[in-house]
């Protein structure tokens, strides 16, 4: 555990028992989020990113459960921290933390915001849940929060319903609600999904401003490596519930070691693509959760597969701050080191 760690996930395993078999959603994930740090958790849809975010706040839906592992939240540097995985989802302790200490921007604001209540009412409810303030004070704070996240005419917009706002405005309102009690950690689950490029950039700028304004720590969950390049300090790449690479963002982009990471980077549209040229894609699909390969989970899709890939590679530290779960990466690095 790092000395400045705010959240430490240690060997997290999440599973969903179903009638068709056991679904392993997260299989041994470990990561850390430091104070004032932005960590990106990146991978294709269905790789376990959102489930990880939900598990931190005790929001896993039944029959989902944490099989093993630790979720250590350390609000004080000198303290041992709180193991969130040991708290009941309905316990008073997790209720005090959820929304106050750790908050979340959910993936789709239109379905996450309640359609029958105004934006102002929903932000005020979040404030009243954790703080004893008057209705007038809560309303004043709701308006200030809407201003803070860049919603024009906040005094009137506070009375709008979610359907009266554009996608970008709804996302800003969701961020305002998440920031309403000044959390230490913000979990941002695909915060720019379905938004145009201009609004995406505005949302990223807003998150950066909040980090600088209040030393906020952010765990940003996304499939978009472009967003990771724009905002993250460190990156954890997930595939089929497993972390396959982790490193500072500059290292990931300059020297990606795992073939899956290279595939994600190659699929980013850019100036290297000529007009009309087909974009790069990763062949194949994520393995069936109930019938996962016994060896490397990415092997069936990997263009660099060789015999040793029939064994499951551990996440191996290649350098002080760079780790990868790939046999070829480990062998090649050993050759380079040896010379």
């Amino acid at each position: 555990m790092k000395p400045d760690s705010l959240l430490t996930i240690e060997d997290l395993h999440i599973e969903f028992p179903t009638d068709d078999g056991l679904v392993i959603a997260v299989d041994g994930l470990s990561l850390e989020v430091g104070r004032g740090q932005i960590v990106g958790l990146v991978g294709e849809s269905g790789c376990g990113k959102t489930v990880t975010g939900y598990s931190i706040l005790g929001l896993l839906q039944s029959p989902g459960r944490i099989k093993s592992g630790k979720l250590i939240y350390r609000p004080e540097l000198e303290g041992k921290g709180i193991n969130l995985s040991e708290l009941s989802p309905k316990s008073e302790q997790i209720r005090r933390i959820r929304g106050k200490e750790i908050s979340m921007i959910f993936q789709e604001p239109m379905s996450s915001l309640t359609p029958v209540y105004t934006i102002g009412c929903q932000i005020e409810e979040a404030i009243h849940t954790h703080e004893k303030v008057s209705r007038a004070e809560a309303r004043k704070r709701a308006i200030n929060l809407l201003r803070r996240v860049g919603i024009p005419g906040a005094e009137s917009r506070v009375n709008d319903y979610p359907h009266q706002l554009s996608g970008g405005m709804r996302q800003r309102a969701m961020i305002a609600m998440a920031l309403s009690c000044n959390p230490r950690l913000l979990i941002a689950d695909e915060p720019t999904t379905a938004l145009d490029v201009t609004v995406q950039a505005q949302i990223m700028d807003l998150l950066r401003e909040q980090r600088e304004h209040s030393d906020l720590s952010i765990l940003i969950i996304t499939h978009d490596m472009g967003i990771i390049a724009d905002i993250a300090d460190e990156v954890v790449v997930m595939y089929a519930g497993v972390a396959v690479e982790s490193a500072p963002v500059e290292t990931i982009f300059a020297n990606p070691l795992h073939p899956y990471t290279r595939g994600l980077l190659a699929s980013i549209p850019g100036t290297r693509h000529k007009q009309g040229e087909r974009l790069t894609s990763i062949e194949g699909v994520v393995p069936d959760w109930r019938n996962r390969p016994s060896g490397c989970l990415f092997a069936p899709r990997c263009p660099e597969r060789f015999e040793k890939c029939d064994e499951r590679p551990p996440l191996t530290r290649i350098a002080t701050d760079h780790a990868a779960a790939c046999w070829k990466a480990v062998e090649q690095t050993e050759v380079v080191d040896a010379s």
Side-chain angles (χ1 to χ4, degrees):
M1 185 183 295
K2 296 178 182 177
D4 67 339
S5 176
L6 180 65
L7 175 72
T8 302
I9 299 178
E10 297 180 359
D11 196 25
L12 180 65
H13 294 257
I14 300 174
E15 60 185 22
F16 288 78
T18 71
D19 292 340
D20 297 325
L22 186 67
V23 173
I24 301 173
V26 177
D27 191 8
L29 175 68
S30 295
L31 65 82
E32 291 192 74
V33 182
R35 284 165 168 77
Q37 186 181 42
I38 300 179
V39 175
L41 188 58
V42 64
E44 292 170 283
S45 296
C47 71
K49 308 185 302 296
T50 296
V51 167
T52 299
Y54 283 2
S55 70
I56 296 168
L57 289 172
L59 296 176
L60 283 177
Q61 295 294 309
S62 179
R65 65 194 182 200
I66 296 175
K67 179 185 177 183
S68 62
K70 296 179 180 180
L71 298 163
I72 306 298
Y73 170 60
R74 226 166 32 120
E76 305 299 333
L77 276 174
E78 302 302 323
K80 293 183 178 179
I82 304 164
N83 188 354
L84 303 176
S85 63
E86 293 179 346
L87 302 181
S88 166
K90 296 181 179 180
S91 69
E92 186 60 32
Q93 191 171 9
I94 193 65
R95 286 178 185 271
R96 286 197 302 268
I97 293 172
R98 187 190 297 144
K100 173 64 176 175
E101 298 278 330
I102 305 174
S103 61
M104 188 167 187
I105 302 171
F106 294 95
Q107 189 168 136
E108 176 45 63
M110 193 59 190
S111 58
S112 301
L113 294 168
T114 304
V116 296
Y117 290 101
T118 65
I119 294 299
C121 283
Q122 295 183 61
I123 297 174
E124 291 164 36
E125 182 183 8
I127 295 170
H128 282 303
T129 299
H130 297 284
E131 300 179 28
K132 293 182 179 180
V133 298
S134 66
R135 293 182 63 183
E137 176 62 22
R139 172 53 59 107
K140 181 180 178 181
R141 282 176 57 175
I143 293 171
N144 286 336
L145 281 161
L146 292 179
R147 284 201 197 103
R148 183 173 159 189
V149 298
I151 292 184
E155 295 83 355
S156 59
R157 287 294 192 180
V158 75
N159 297 313
D160 284 353
Y161 290 88
H163 73 273
Q164 294 176 291
L165 303 178
S166 67
M169 290 296 183
R170 283 194 294 269
Q171 193 64 285
R172 289 172 186 270
M174 176 70 74
I175 294 172
M177 191 182 306
L179 298 174
S180 61
C181 294
N182 298 310
R184 297 171 184 264
L185 173 65
L186 178 65
I187 303 168
D189 186 10
E190 299 281 6
T192 60
T193 297
L195 301 180
D196 62 52
V197 176
T198 302
V199 178
Q200 283 187 21
Q202 292 171 351
I203 296 297
M204 290 299 100
D205 288 341
L206 175 58
L207 292 178
R208 267 191 296 268
E209 288 170 11
Q210 300 311 313
R211 190 258 291 265
E212 294 166 5
H213 176 77
S214 58
D215 200 32
L216 178 69
S217 300
I218 302 174
L219 176 62
I220 185 163
I221 296 169
T222 182
H223 64 277
D224 191 334
M225 291 296 282
I227 288 175
I228 292 297
D230 186 37
I231 196 171
D233 300 314
E234 295 195 11
V235 189
V236 176
V237 180
M238 282 189 77
Y239 181 76
V242 174
V244 295
E245 188 163 2
S246 65
V249 66
E250 298 87 356
T251 303
I252 283 282
F253 279 80
N255 183 33
L257 296 177
H258 200 283
Y260 180 62
T261 307
R262 291 197 288 271
L264 291 176
L265 292 172
S267 64
I268 301 175
T271 54
R272 68 184 182 280
H273 292 102
K274 298 177 182 179
Q275 185 174 0
E277 182 182 0
R278 190 178 183 85
L279 296 176
T280 305
S281 63
I282 302 173
E283 299 295 330
V285 295
V286 177
D288 189 316
W289 294 101
R290 293 154 298 186
N291 187 27
R292 307 203 311 167
S294 57
C296 174
L297 296 173
F298 187 63
R301 305 173 68 184
C302 184
E304 302 176 35
R305 178 178 181 174
F306 69 119
E307 288 182 5
K308 196 164 185 178
C309 297
D310 290 335
E311 302 174 32
R312 179 75 61 85
L315 188 65
T316 304
R317 194 153 297 283
I318 307 297
T320 305
D321 56 0
H322 196 172
C326 175
W327 292 119
K328 182 160 285 188
V330 171
E331 289 187 359
Q332 290 176 343
T333 305
E334 288 174 349
V335 170
V336 171
D337 289 344
S339 62

